[in-house]
Short mmCIF file of all heavy atoms in Angstrom, two decimals:
data_model
loop_
_atom_site.label_atom_id
_atom_site.label_comp_id
_atom_site.label_asym_id
_atom_site.label_seq_id
_atom_site.Cartn_x
_atom_site.Cartn_y
_atom_site.Cartn_z
N GLN A 903 -49.57 9.98 243.70
CA GLN A 903 -50.27 10.77 242.70
C GLN A 903 -49.44 12.01 242.37
O GLN A 903 -48.89 12.64 243.26
CB GLN A 903 -51.65 11.17 243.20
CG GLN A 903 -52.47 11.95 242.20
CD GLN A 903 -53.85 12.27 242.70
OE1 GLN A 903 -54.36 11.60 243.59
NE2 GLN A 903 -54.47 13.28 242.12
N VAL A 904 -49.38 12.34 241.09
CA VAL A 904 -48.65 13.52 240.66
C VAL A 904 -49.44 14.78 241.04
O VAL A 904 -50.68 14.79 241.00
CB VAL A 904 -48.37 13.48 239.15
CG1 VAL A 904 -49.67 13.51 238.35
CG2 VAL A 904 -47.45 14.62 238.74
N GLN A 905 -48.72 15.81 241.44
CA GLN A 905 -49.32 17.10 241.74
C GLN A 905 -48.85 18.12 240.72
O GLN A 905 -47.67 18.16 240.38
CB GLN A 905 -48.97 17.55 243.15
CG GLN A 905 -49.54 16.67 244.24
CD GLN A 905 -49.06 17.06 245.61
OE1 GLN A 905 -47.86 17.09 245.88
NE2 GLN A 905 -50.01 17.37 246.49
N LEU A 906 -49.76 18.94 240.26
CA LEU A 906 -49.48 19.92 239.22
C LEU A 906 -49.91 21.30 239.68
O LEU A 906 -51.01 21.46 240.22
CB LEU A 906 -50.21 19.57 237.93
CG LEU A 906 -49.95 18.17 237.35
CD1 LEU A 906 -50.89 17.90 236.19
CD2 LEU A 906 -48.50 18.05 236.89
N VAL A 907 -49.06 22.29 239.45
CA VAL A 907 -49.35 23.67 239.82
C VAL A 907 -49.06 24.57 238.63
O VAL A 907 -47.93 24.63 238.15
CB VAL A 907 -48.52 24.12 241.03
CG1 VAL A 907 -48.84 25.57 241.37
CG2 VAL A 907 -48.81 23.23 242.23
N GLU A 908 -50.10 25.28 238.17
CA GLU A 908 -49.95 26.22 237.07
C GLU A 908 -49.62 27.61 237.59
O GLU A 908 -50.05 28.00 238.69
CB GLU A 908 -51.24 26.31 236.24
CG GLU A 908 -51.71 24.99 235.65
CD GLU A 908 -52.72 24.29 236.52
OE1 GLU A 908 -52.74 24.54 237.76
OE2 GLU A 908 -53.51 23.49 235.98
N SER A 909 -48.91 28.37 236.78
CA SER A 909 -48.63 29.76 237.09
C SER A 909 -48.39 30.51 235.79
O SER A 909 -48.19 29.91 234.73
CB SER A 909 -47.42 29.90 238.02
OG SER A 909 -46.25 29.39 237.42
N GLY A 910 -48.39 31.83 235.87
CA GLY A 910 -48.07 32.66 234.73
C GLY A 910 -49.24 33.35 234.07
O GLY A 910 -49.05 34.14 233.14
N GLY A 911 -50.45 33.08 234.54
CA GLY A 911 -51.61 33.74 233.97
C GLY A 911 -51.69 35.19 234.38
O GLY A 911 -50.94 35.67 235.23
N GLY A 912 -52.61 35.90 233.75
CA GLY A 912 -52.79 37.30 234.06
C GLY A 912 -53.59 38.00 232.99
O GLY A 912 -54.24 37.37 232.16
N LEU A 913 -53.53 39.32 233.03
CA LEU A 913 -54.24 40.17 232.08
C LEU A 913 -53.26 40.68 231.04
O LEU A 913 -52.19 41.21 231.39
CB LEU A 913 -54.90 41.33 232.81
CG LEU A 913 -55.60 42.38 231.95
CD1 LEU A 913 -56.79 41.77 231.22
CD2 LEU A 913 -56.04 43.55 232.82
N VAL A 914 -53.61 40.53 229.77
CA VAL A 914 -52.75 40.97 228.69
C VAL A 914 -53.61 41.56 227.58
O VAL A 914 -54.76 41.16 227.39
CB VAL A 914 -51.89 39.79 228.17
CG1 VAL A 914 -52.77 38.72 227.54
CG2 VAL A 914 -50.84 40.28 227.19
N GLN A 915 -53.05 42.51 226.86
CA GLN A 915 -53.75 43.12 225.74
C GLN A 915 -53.71 42.22 224.52
O GLN A 915 -52.77 41.45 224.33
CB GLN A 915 -53.11 44.48 225.42
CG GLN A 915 -53.91 45.34 224.45
CD GLN A 915 -53.30 46.72 224.29
OE1 GLN A 915 -52.24 47.02 224.83
NE2 GLN A 915 -53.98 47.58 223.55
N ALA A 916 -54.74 42.30 223.69
CA ALA A 916 -54.77 41.53 222.46
C ALA A 916 -53.50 41.77 221.65
O ALA A 916 -53.03 42.90 221.50
CB ALA A 916 -55.99 41.89 221.63
N GLY A 917 -52.95 40.67 221.12
CA GLY A 917 -51.70 40.73 220.39
C GLY A 917 -50.48 40.47 221.24
O GLY A 917 -49.38 40.26 220.70
N GLY A 918 -50.65 40.46 222.55
CA GLY A 918 -49.55 40.25 223.46
C GLY A 918 -49.24 38.78 223.68
O GLY A 918 -49.82 37.89 223.05
#
Side-chain angles (χ1 to χ4, degrees):
Q903 182 177 338
V904 64
Q905 295 174 302
L906 304 172
V907 179
E908 302 94 336
S909 62
L913 176 64
V914 65
Q915 191 174 5

